[in-house]
C-alpha cells in the first residue's frame, strides 16, 4: 500500500506538471500565431524554449504511462475488502460453524474410503488415470461414469427448473483479460493451465467466463438480477495443496463442477448471498447428505470475495467433512475489473453491479459422499432416490464395472 500511494503521488505530480507545461505551450503557440498573422517571426529563444517544453511533456507522458502500468499491476494484486461482519482470523482454523443439517452417518460395519470401494467395484481406475496424464488424474467407467453424468444433469435441472437459473454452455479456454476480470490473474497464475502460443487459459471454474459475459457493457434498467448455472470441467494445478488429500479424488487437477452465478443490484447482494447458499444447501438435503455451513474468516476467504460461506458434506468412509460448495459475495470487485455496469433507471448514471458465485455442487466431493455414505456391507452402493430417474439404476452392485 505504501508503494501504491507513493506511485499515485508521483503520477498526480507528473500529470500536474504536464498540464502546466501544455498550458504554457498553448499560450506561447497562440502568441506565435498572432505574430505570424501580423507578418512577424517569432523570437528564436521562444521557439527553442517551446521545443524544450515539448520534450519535457513527452518525458512526463512516458513517466505517467509507466506509473499507470505499475499502479495497475499493484491494483490487480490487491484482494477485495471483507464485509464488516466477516470474522477476523488468519487461517481456516478460525472459521465459524454457523449451522449443521443432518447427523454424520455412521455405518454398522467397517466403512471403506472411496479409493478402496470404487476400485473394488471397478468404477474408478486410478492407475490408468496416472498412466494417461500423471498424478491426481483418474478415469471413471460403467456405473461410476453414469452416476457422475446423472448427478450433473439432475443438479442442472434442479437449479434451472426450481431455483430460477438460466443454464449456460461455456468455453473452457479463455483470454488473459477474462482471467484478470474474475480475479484469477495475476494472483493465481501458478495454479492455472495455459496454452502459451495463443495465450489462452483453461478455466479453474465456470465463474471465470460467466463473470466476463457482460465485460465492458452497461446493462439496461430492469435487467437485474440475472442468475446463471453451468457445468464445466475445471482445471487446477493444485500447487498450493501439495501433500494434502492426495488419495482418491478429493483433490485432483481436473474435475467437473456445477456453478451458480448471480449479477445483481448492489442493494440486494446480501440477500442474494443467503438465497445462493440456500440453493446449494437444497442440493445436499435432497441427496440426503449431512452437511455443515462455515462462515470463512478474513484469512481464509478467496481473493475476490467480500464474504464467503462454505458447505462441507460428511463422508463416512474417510470420516471427514469435505468442502463441496463455496458461496461468495464478490460485491463490485469483479465488476470493476471487468467493467460491468448497469443503469438503475433510464437516463441515470451507470453503476457497477455486484457479482456472486457458488458451487452447486462440486462433483468429486459429492460422488465421494454418495459412495461412502450409501455403501452396503456386501460392497454395493445404494443410489439416492432423486438420482434414480437420471441413472436408470437403484444400486451399484459390488462388482459394478
Amino acid at each position: 500500500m505504501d508503494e501504491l500511494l507513493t506511485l499515485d503521488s508521483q503520477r498526480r505530480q507528473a500529470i500536474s506538471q504536464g498540464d502546466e507545461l501544455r498550458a504554457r505551450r498553448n499560450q506561447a503557440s497562440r502568441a506565435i500565431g498572432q505574430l505570424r498573422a501580423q507578418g512577424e517571426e517569432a523570437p528564436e529563444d521562444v521557439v527553442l524554449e517551446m521545443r524544450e517544453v515539448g520534450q519535457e511533456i513527452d518525458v512526463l507522458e512516458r513517466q505517467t504511462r509507466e506509473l499507470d502500468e505499475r499502479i495497475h499491476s499493484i491494483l490487480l494484486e490487491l484482494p477485495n475488502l471483507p464485509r464488516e461482519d466477516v470474522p477476523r482470523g488468519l487461517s481456516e482454523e478460525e472459521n465459524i460453524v454457523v449451522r449443521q443439517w443432518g447427523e454424520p452417518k455412521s455405518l454398522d460395519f467397517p466403512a471403506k474410503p472411496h479409493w478402496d470401494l470404487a476400485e473394488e467395484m471397478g468404477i474408478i481406475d486410478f492407475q490408468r488415470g496416472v498412466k494417461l496424464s500423471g498424478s491426481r488424474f483418474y478415469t471413471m467407467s460403467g456405473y461410476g461414469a453414469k452416476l457422475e453424468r446423472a448427478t450433473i444433469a439432475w443438479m442442472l435441472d434442479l437449479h434451472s427448473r426450481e431455483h430460477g437459473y438460466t443454464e449456460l454452455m461455456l468455453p473452457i479456454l479463455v483470454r488473459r483479460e477474462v482471467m484478470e476480470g474474475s480475479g484469477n490473474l495475476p494472483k493465481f497464475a501458478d495454479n492455472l493451465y495455459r496454452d502459451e502460443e495463443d495465450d489462452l487459459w483453461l478455466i479453474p471454474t465456470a465463474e471465470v467466463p460467466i463473470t466476463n459475459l457482460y465485460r465492458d457493457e452497461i446493462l439496461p434498467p430492469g435487467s437485474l438480477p440475472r442468475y446463471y448455472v453451468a457445468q464445466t470441467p475445471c482445471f487446477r494445478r493444485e500447487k498450493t495443496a501439495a501433500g494434502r488429500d492426495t488419495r482418491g479424488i478429493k483433490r485432483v487437477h481436473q474435475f467437473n463442477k456445477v456453478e451458480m452465478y448471480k449479477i445483481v443490484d448492489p442493494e440486494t447482494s446480501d440477500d442474494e448471498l443467503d438465497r445462493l447458499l440456500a440453493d446449494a444447501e437444497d442440493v445436499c438435503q435432497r441427496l440426503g447428505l449431512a452437511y455443515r455451513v462455515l462462515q470463512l474468516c478474513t484469512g481464509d476467504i478467496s481473493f475476490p470475495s467480500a464474504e464467503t460461506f462454505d458447505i462441507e458434506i460428511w463422508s463416512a468412509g474417510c470420516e471427514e467433512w469435505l468442502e463441496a460448495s463455496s458461496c461468495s459475495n464478490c460485491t463490485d470487485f469483479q465488476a470493476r475489473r471487468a467493467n460491468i455496469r448497469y443503469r438503475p433507471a433510464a437516463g441515470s448514471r451507470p453503476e457497477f453491479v455486484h457479482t456472486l458465485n457458488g458451487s452447486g455442487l462440486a462433483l468429486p466431493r459429492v460422488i465421494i459422499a454418495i459412495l461412502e455414505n450409501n455403501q452396503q456391507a456386501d460392497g454395493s452402493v445404494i443410489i439416492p432416490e432423486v438420482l434414480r430417474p437420471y441413472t436408470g439404476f437403484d444400486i451399484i452392485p459390488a462388482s459394478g464395472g
Side-chain angles (χ1 to χ4, degrees):
M1 291 300 298
D2 290 340
E3 182 184 3
L4 180 64
L5 293 173
T6 298
L7 292 171
D8 181 66
S9 176
Q10 293 173 355
R11 175 182 175 276
R12 291 172 185 272
Q13 185 176 1
I15 291 174
S16 177
Q17 290 176 349
D19 288 344
E20 290 176 3
L21 289 174
R22 276 186 286 272
R24 182 177 163 191
R25 183 175 62 181
N26 291 340
Q27 184 178 10
S29 295
R30 285 194 294 271
I32 291 172
Q34 290 175 354
L35 288 173
R36 288 176 176 171
Q38 298 170 4
E40 300 179 24
E41 289 294 327
E44 185 65 24
D45 59 333
V46 174
V47 174
L48 291 174
E49 182 184 0
M50 288 305 101
R51 190 173 298 161
E52 291 175 359
V53 167
Q55 293 172 350
E56 290 180 39
I57 291 173
D58 291 341
V59 170
L60 288 169
E61 288 178 344
R62 185 170 61 254
Q63 289 178 354
T64 301
R65 286 193 299 271
E66 292 172 353
L67 288 166
D68 280 338
E69 291 174 2
R70 180 58 187 148
I71 289 170
H72 180 68
S73 68
I74 293 177
L75 290 174
L76 288 178
E77 295 278 1
L78 293 180
N80 200 353
L81 296 174
R83 293 288 215 197
E84 287 299 321
D85 59 346
V86 173
R88 273 25 181 191
L90 297 176
S91 71
E92 62 184 17
E93 303 300 324
E94 295 168 272
N95 295 337
I96 297 174
V97 178
V98 296
R99 62 179 170 273
Q100 181 175 316
W101 185 90
E103 290 298 321
K105 196 165 186 177
S106 59
L107 305 177
D108 56 7
F109 58 89
K112 295 178 181 178
H114 69 280
W115 53 83
D116 290 334
L117 180 66
E119 279 210 311
E120 290 173 10
M121 300 174 77
I123 60 175
I124 298 181
D125 193 322
F126 298 103
Q127 292 182 352
R128 285 184 171 82
V130 171
K131 181 167 68 173
L132 292 174
S133 305
S135 63
R136 300 204 189 191
F137 287 92
Y138 62 97
T139 67
M140 300 183 76
S141 61
Y143 287 95
K146 290 179 181 178
L147 174 60
E148 176 141 334
R149 174 163 53 88
T151 306
I152 291 170
W154 171 72
M155 289 193 293
L156 288 172
D157 283 348
L158 174 63
H159 292 311
S160 59
R161 293 174 181 174
E162 298 189 34
H163 295 160
Y165 295 80
T166 298
E167 184 176 346
L168 297 173
M169 290 188 67
L170 301 160
I172 59 173
L173 280 167
V174 297
R175 296 174 173 175
R176 175 181 291 270
E177 59 265 29
V178 171
M179 283 289 190
E180 289 180 351
S182 62
N184 291 87
L185 281 179
K187 177 70 173 178
F188 303 109
D190 288 346
N191 281 326
L192 300 170
Y193 289 97
R194 176 192 176 204
D195 169 29
E196 293 188 9
E197 183 175 350
D198 293 325
D199 195 23
L200 291 174
W201 301 71
L202 281 167
I203 62 171
T205 167
E207 170 196 344
V208 172
I210 300 177
T211 298
N212 290 269
L213 283 175
Y214 299 103
R215 181 184 185 87
D216 295 324
E217 292 187 33
I218 300 175
L219 301 176
S223 61
L224 299 181
R226 299 190 179 202
Y227 303 157
Y228 297 108
V229 64
Q231 178 271 323
T232 64
C234 304
F235 303 89
R236 303 178 187 180
R237 291 185 186 274
E238 295 290 1
K239 285 186 176 181
T240 58
R244 293 181 55 193
D245 301 329
T246 55
R247 297 204 68 180
I249 60 174
K250 286 187 289 185
R251 194 179 291 276
V252 290
H253 294 308
Q254 176 185 337
F255 60 93
N256 289 311
K257 181 156 68 81
V258 173
E259 183 78 1
M260 302 176 293
Y261 197 91
K262 294 186 174 187
I263 303 173
V264 305
D265 186 305
E267 294 183 0
T268 67
S269 67
D270 288 332
D271 291 336
E272 293 285 6
L273 178 59
D274 292 338
R275 287 194 284 271
L276 183 74
L277 183 59
D279 292 337
E281 290 184 66
D282 190 30
V283 177
C284 300
Q285 293 175 12
R286 296 194 191 208
L287 289 172
L289 301 175
Y291 67 88
R292 63 183 187 180
V293 176
L294 284 72
Q295 184 177 18
L296 303 194
C297 69
T298 52
D300 199 32
I301 58 175
S302 63
F303 181 78
S305 173
E307 185 171 17
T308 297
F309 292 89
D310 277 2
I311 296 177
E312 296 182 339
I313 54 180
W314 175 255
S315 202
C318 49
E319 296 186 317
E320 62 178 311
W321 296 98
L322 302 174
E323 180 194 329
S325 179
S326 189
C327 296
S328 300
N329 183 357
C330 296
T331 58
D332 62 357
F333 181 82
Q334 292 176 324
R336 289 180 181 276
R337 293 169 74 106
N339 192 29
I340 310 166
R341 295 176 293 168
Y342 79 110
R343 293 189 191 277
S348 63
R349 183 177 179 180
E351 299 178 13
F352 288 107
V353 301
H354 277 195
T355 61
L356 302 91
N357 65 82
S359 313
L361 306 166
L363 267 299
R365 308 290 176 84
V366 174
I367 296 300
I368 291 171
I370 290 174
L371 294 176
E372 293 190 0
N373 291 332
N374 296 297
Q375 61 182 295
Q376 306 298 299
D378 64 358
S380 63
V381 171
I382 303 296
I383 301 300
E385 188 172 346
V386 292
L387 294 181
R388 294 174 189 175
Y390 290 82
T391 60
F393 51 84
D394 300 349
I395 187 171
I396 301 178
S399 56

